[in-house]
Amino acid sequence: MAPALVMLLVFFAYPVADIVWRAFSEPHLGLQNLRDVFADPVTLRVLTRTVVTAFGVATLTLVLAYPYAHLMTVVSLRWRAVLMALVLLPFWTSLMARNFAWIVLLQDGGPLAKLTGLGEKPLLGTAVGVALGMVQVLLPYMVLPLYSAMSGIDRRLLSAAASLGAPRRTVFGRIYLPLSMPGVVAGYTLVFVLALGFYITPRLLGSPQQSLIAQVIGTKVEKLLDFGGAGALSLVLLALTGLLLLAVSRVARPTSMLGLKEED
């Protein structure tokens, strides 16, 4: 455990501690940076936009991933391997290449605009374009937890309910959906947390008017050299993530979210 612990301390604990210290110490020791965050209406608007975007991306990702993950559990082994390869394919390609491909798709009068009938209406530089790119990037993080939970469901329960006269809607709502909820909670939480701090995709597909909190932090560090303000924003983002995980842990047990079985 020693090498892993040292790596965790050096590459995670120390940077986080340094960010927290800068939030309270630059340019002067105190709470001024945090007060500035909550007193600035622009920053609050960006925080709200970030949370709303993360919720929207996580919800849309869940809507797309749920039937896909279910399909993976009912097809043959050969088709299951094909579907799994399609899920894992984004991990084998460059994130930058995928984002530049989205730039081509979303540009004014581009293929996506023509396909959807939007004509010359812009998609690039809008919240819709950013959400589409983020959904495509984060979709595997929703599919895999869902598939893990769904593959562990005993399908004999579904057959038993159907044999007793329950319609498909009732079987799904009363049996399948509750049993798949650990995967839903795990996938939704993972995608939401990743979307909160997403940087590259919103930076390339969005605009300054649609900036998310990660872009504001980047601007403070790269252009304004406001390390204290960036640390305060990072601390707020870390607090939001911690509160979300705490709320989720109250609803679902961590072991069930990870697909693990508790020992008696």
Side-chain angles (χ1 to χ4, degrees), residues 13-36:
Y14 171 74
V16 171
D18 183 63
I19 289 173
V20 173
W21 171 250
R22 287 175 180 268
F24 294 104
S25 63
E26 294 188 9
H28 306 290
L29 191 63
L31 301 176
Q32 184 60 43
N33 289 318
L34 287 176
R35 284 196 293 264
D36 291 341

Side-chain angles (χ1 to χ4, degrees), residues 98-113 124 205:
R98 281 181 281 161
N99 283 312
F100 281 119
W102 273 109
I103 292 176
V104 175
L105 292 173
L106 297 173
Q107 63 184 339
D108 297 353
L112 192 58
L124 188 63
L205 303 183

